Amino acid sequence: MRWFRFAVTALAAAAAPAAALAQTPAMPSSAPIILHADRIVDGHGHVIKGGSIVVSGDKISRVDNSGGAAATYDLEGMTLLPGLIDAHSHLSWYFNRQGRLHQRGDGDTPVESMLSMAGNAYATLMAGVTTIQSPGDPADKDLRDWIALGQIPGPRVLTSLNPFSSTRPTPDSLRALVRQRKEQGADVIKIFASASIREGGAQTLSDEQLAAICGEANALGMRTMVHAHSVQSIKASVAAGCKQIEHGVFADDETLKLMADRGVYFDPQVCLVFRNYLDNRPKYEGIGNYNELGFSSMEKAIPIATAMFKRAIHTPGLKVIFGTDAVAGAHGRNVEELVCRVQAGGQSPMDAITSATSLTAESMRLGDQIGTIAPGMQADIIAVEGDPTTDITALRRVLFVMKGGKVYKNVR
Ligand SMILES: [Zn+2]
């Protein structure tokens, strides 16, 4: 909801729920746009053959299978689907002038860093991802608001701002920090409950600290997303009332079932994040835990994460959403994670698409506004060459991108 904050503040008015996703201030009404393609995938596992979508302003006004004669954009040979949604992308990560991971104090100015973020946002949007969630960076706020104002092209951005990772604060001060983060404009609270996979992934924050953070967030109506790899850290997070688990490389069957039973969203990764680090090793090597042990841990994690993912998608009732953990080098390649989920993880292409559209929208509590092709929804629509329900690699060929009724890409 927060991307409307700036405009709302400027108008000194309360945001009406219907206007919450507006990406630009009130636009003059214009003629409807009609999109026609070989098929429409609606984000819920359904296909409309030879369908048309009518867009009025920033919303979808009609979906049917009428002919394409009146189409504004006749996307022959293509498939229309909801803009993809990535629950975990770090737009502030980039490679600096030296071709190394940007670090504070490396000589880059704040403006250069923000320009890199804007570039990552653009690459992400052009790849068909129309909404991302960043967990998180204080600079996300300005990027989120400027994209929402229509000043620069990019996906809708939700952010946690600074995440919670320090084990030092008392439960009382953690609760105060959650309230502060909300005041600062965070859309979600991001928590590190375990160490990095490069350091073994064991629980870091105590059960009491997790209960304080997620308990306070729940009381405020805020969502929580928790970085957790070990069984113990996942179980502690679920017990603390946290709503979403990231990564979970070491999750066992009992832990997967626990998440399903509690309605906790699960966002595992199969390949992109690991492969991206390994492929770009010289650009990360020697910084923090990007060392010999860290890289070998990530290499070893790939088969473990893949096996865990296979068990996760076969756990009844478990809501497996889509998040790439995109860092420097991965922006714009988000769909590679979906390709791996299908090719290595055994997920059906349709389930992969549903996870990256309606299900991830639901995890963000935006399921009534994005992630679905239906009347009344935001007009976040992409078109890919071919049929992604039979060939997931079609998602690599995004030739048309619309967000909030505005066309950002059309390269047929
Ligand atoms: Zn991350």
Side-chain angles (χ1 to χ4, degrees):
M1 307 270 165
R2 301 292 173 203
W3 46 70
F4 195 60
R5 167 175 293 259
F6 186 91
V8 168
T9 309
L11 295 168
L21 290 198
Q23 287 286 288
T24 51
M27 282 185 299
S29 61
S30 51
I33 296 172
I34 303 172
L35 310 176
H36 181 80
D38 286 15
R39 67 192 70 73
I40 300 169
V41 176
D42 73 346
H44 292 266
H46 307 119
V47 176
I48 301 169
K49 286 220 165 89
S52 291
I53 303 173
V54 181
V55 175
S56 302
D58 59 357
K59 293 213 176 74
I60 295 169
S61 57
R62 209 173 76 223
V63 182
D64 58 34
N65 54 4
S66 66
T72 321
Y73 296 93
D74 192 355
L75 304 163
E76 204 189 331
M78 302 180 71
T79 301
L80 290 163
L81 60 159
L84 303 175
I85 303 173
D86 187 338
H88 194 137
S89 169
H90 299 276
L91 292 178
S92 64
W93 288 46
Y94 70 95
F95 296 128
N96 63 17
R97 280 181 206 281
Q98 292 78 41
R100 300 267 292 161
L101 176 66
H102 165 66
Q103 297 284 285
R104 202 183 301 204
D106 65 4
D108 283 7
T109 66
V111 172
E112 288 168 334
S113 295
M114 184 49 91
L115 287 169
S116 296
M117 280 181 85
N120 287 339
Y122 184 70
T124 302
L125 181 65
M126 290 302 104
V129 179
T130 51
T131 300
I132 68 106
Q133 181 161 258
S134 170
D137 187 300
D140 292 336
K141 187 169 179 285
D142 288 339
L143 183 73
R144 173 190 70 189
D145 294 347
W146 250 241
I147 291 171
L149 280 169
Q151 299 273 26
I152 54 168
R156 303 171 190 277
V157 174
L158 290 86
T159 176
S160 69
L161 304 176
N162 265 326
F164 288 68
S165 56
S166 173
T167 57
R168 286 193 301 275
T170 62
D172 268 348
S173 51
L174 286 168
R175 278 187 278 268
L177 284 168
V178 170
R179 293 193 291 276
Q180 183 193 67
R181 203 67 83 244
K182 186 180 184 186
E183 280 298 303
Q184 290 167 339
D187 302 290
V188 59
I189 298 294
K190 166 73 186 294
I191 303 146
F192 284 87
S194 87
S196 161
I197 194 70
R198 291 178 290 283
E199 295 166 350
Q203 186 172 342
T204 49
L205 290 181
S206 70
D207 294 2
E208 294 71 28
Q209 287 171 317
L210 287 168
I213 300 169
C214 290
E216 187 67 18
N218 288 339
L220 295 171
M222 290 192 81
R223 294 178 300 112
T224 40
M225 56 192 295
V226 185
H227 165 114
H229 283 297
S230 68
V231 161
Q232 191 192 22
S233 63
I234 299 170
K235 284 183 174 173
S237 302
V238 174
C242 308
K243 301 299 184 197
Q244 183 173 317
I245 301 295
E246 305 297 304
H247 319 311
V249 166
F250 301 117
D252 59 11
D253 289 346
E254 186 196 346
T255 314
L256 294 170
K257 185 175 181 309
L258 176 70
M259 285 189 270
D261 290 347
R262 299 291 184 87
V264 171
Y265 294 97
F266 185 40
D267 179 20
Q269 289 79 35
V270 172
C271 76
L272 176 63
V273 62
F274 306 116
R275 293 257 172 252
N276 182 68
Y277 280 132
L278 295 166
D279 292 348
N280 290 294
R281 182 168 178 160
K283 298 175 180 181
Y284 285 96
E285 185 102 56
I287 298 169
N289 57 21
Y290 298 103
N291 49 32
E292 194 63 43
L293 177 65
F295 280 101
S296 77
S297 300
M298 290 194 283
E299 209 150 4
K300 283 187 198 131
I302 295 173
I304 300 170
T306 305
M308 179 277 296
F309 178 81
K310 287 180 183 171
R311 288 184 283 111
I313 57 172
H314 291 112
T315 301
L318 181 58
K319 295 175 180 185
V320 178
I321 61 166
F322 178 61
T324 58
D325 202 2
V327 292
H331 302 293
R333 298 196 295 130
N334 312 59
V335 303
E336 295 306 320
E337 173 68 16
L338 281 177
V339 172
C340 279
R341 286 181 179 201
V342 171
Q343 292 183 343
Q347 192 170 35
S348 77
M350 188 61 102
D351 285 352
I353 292 167
T354 301
S355 79
T357 53
S358 64
L359 196 58
T360 301
E362 181 195 305
S363 76
M364 295 171 167
R365 297 181 187 162
L366 294 173
D368 59 345
Q369 298 172 73
I370 56 172
T372 299
I373 302 287
M377 303 295 290
Q378 281 289 315
D380 290 6
I381 303 164
I382 63 171
V384 302
E385 189 180 55
D387 182 359
T389 68
T390 56
D391 172 17
I392 195 70
T393 68
L395 293 181
R396 288 173 176 155
R397 302 185 294 277
V398 174
L399 303 186
F400 180 90
V401 175
M402 172 184 270
K403 188 192 71 171
K406 187 175 170 190
V407 177
Y408 286 88
K409 182 179 187 179
N410 178 28
V411 293
R412 290 166 292 143

